[in-house]
């Protein structure tokens, strides 16, 4: 039995693709400490840094047989981790912006039961319209709005261009705005309330 702790990244990657748990463990042990420091510097939060890395390494193991990258293992792991950090930051920013939109909406007048009911009705229409969308458009829209995935991530996941993803999301939003007769900001607020 070869001691995989002394193997190169290339050798470890090849073993990982074959489902070698020891190779995965060695990659994890080799890269967790520097990646943790890198993520902690970006997020300034140990718990969030650990969450990001757990997510990234979990994804790595689940998709081990599909791994294809032209650069080094280290570069791949740093890029994958950095993308997750950016998604987390984007997700937090989106949540903050949506909450601010809702707060501003509520300040414009008294937030009475009939307004809450109207939002529920609009949310039901949004859900219904999303379900009626062509399958690819619905899938892209849900990954973008519900999973907070970037256009690039969706494109890579579905093996399509970023332009296609952007176009599908824009078309989906236009369909919903036209159906509901509301502004873009109000539509995003309704979608946020559906989370």
């Amino acid at each position: 039995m070869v001691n995989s702790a002394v193997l190169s990244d290339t050798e470890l990657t090849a073993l990982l693709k074959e489902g070698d748990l020891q190779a995965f463990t060695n990659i994890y042990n080799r890269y967790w400490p520097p990646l943790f420091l890198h993520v902690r510097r970006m997020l300034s939060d140990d718990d969030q840094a650990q969450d990001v890395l757990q997510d990234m390494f979990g994804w790595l193991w689940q998709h081990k047989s599909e791994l294809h990258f032209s650069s080094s293992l280290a570069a791949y792991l740093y890029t994958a981790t950095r993308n997750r950090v950016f998604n987390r930051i984007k997700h937090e920013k989106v949540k903050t912006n949506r909450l601010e939109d809702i707060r501003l909406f509520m300040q414009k007048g008294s937030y009475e039961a009939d307004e809450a009911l109207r939002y529920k009705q609009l949310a039901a229409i949004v859900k219904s319209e999303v379900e009626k969308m062509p399958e690819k458009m619905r899938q892209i829209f849900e990954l973008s709005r519900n999973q907070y995935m970037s256009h690039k991530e969706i494109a890579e996941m579905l093996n399509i261009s970023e332009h296609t993803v952007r176009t599908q999301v824009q078309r989906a939003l236009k369909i919903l705005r036209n159906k509901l007769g509301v502004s873009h900001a109000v539509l995003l607020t309704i979608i946020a309330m559906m989370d």
Side-chain angles (χ1 to χ4, degrees):
M1 174 84 184
V2 177
N3 179 3
S4 59
V6 297
L7 296 178
S8 70
D9 283 356
T10 304
E11 293 166 321
L12 285 174
T13 302
L15 289 170
L16 174 64
K17 286 182 181 182
E18 295 171 7
D20 188 310
L21 183 58
Q22 188 60 44
F24 172 77
T25 302
N26 281 293
I27 291 170
Y28 182 93
N29 291 337
R30 186 177 292 178
Y31 285 102
W32 177 277
L35 287 171
F36 178 77
L37 293 174
H38 181 65
V39 175
R40 189 172 62 182
R41 273 195 304 272
M42 294 176 79
L43 294 175
S44 302
D45 184 297
D46 287 359
D47 291 337
Q48 285 192 32
Q50 288 178 1
D51 288 348
V52 166
L53 289 178
Q54 285 299 115
D55 178 57
M56 192 277 298
F57 277 107
W59 185 93
L60 184 71
W61 177 253
Q62 289 175 350
H63 296 87
K64 59 191 172 291
S65 60
E66 307 160 21
L67 292 178
H68 299 288
F69 47 89
S70 54
S71 58
S72 68
L73 175 63
Y76 180 84
L77 293 175
Y78 273 92
T79 300
T81 302
R82 200 166 46 249
N83 287 342
R84 278 172 172 73
V85 170
F86 292 151
N87 286 341
R88 182 171 288 252
I89 292 168
K90 177 184 170 188
H91 174 71
E92 290 301 318
K93 185 176 180 184
V94 167
K95 277 176 42 180
T96 301
N97 288 346
R98 287 180 177 172
L99 290 173
E100 180 63 13
D101 286 345
I102 292 167
R103 187 187 66 76
L104 291 173
F105 172 78
M106 289 170 62
Q107 281 181 346
K108 288 181 181 177
S110 61
Y111 190 70
E112 297 176 14
D114 59 339
E115 290 173 314
L117 178 61
R118 176 159 162 70
Y119 264 89
K120 273 189 171 180
Q121 290 169 338
L122 291 173
I125 294 170
V126 167
K127 185 176 179 186
S128 172
E129 289 304 312
V130 169
E131 290 173 357
K132 293 177 190 173
M133 289 177 184
E135 182 178 348
K136 188 62 77 174
M137 179 186 288
R138 180 181 46 75
Q139 182 182 22
I140 291 169
F141 181 78
E142 289 177 345
L143 290 171
S144 172
R145 298 301 171 191
N146 299 345
Q147 302 298 319
Y148 301 100
M149 291 177 70
S150 70
H151 290 174
K152 182 176 182 180
E153 287 176 310
I154 296 169
E156 289 173 359
M157 179 181 177
L158 301 178
N159 198 25
I160 57 177
S161 72
E162 284 185 58
H163 175 74
T164 300
V165 172
R166 187 171 19 266
T167 301
Q168 290 294 315
V169 169
Q170 289 170 349
R171 286 181 182 161
L173 289 171
K174 185 175 181 181
I175 288 169
L176 294 173
R177 280 196 312 272
N178 290 341
K179 185 68 177 179
L180 297 174
V182 296
S183 71
H184 187 73
V186 171
L187 175 60
L188 293 180
T189 302
I190 294 165
I191 293 169
M193 293 177 76
M194 293 171 64
D195 289 350

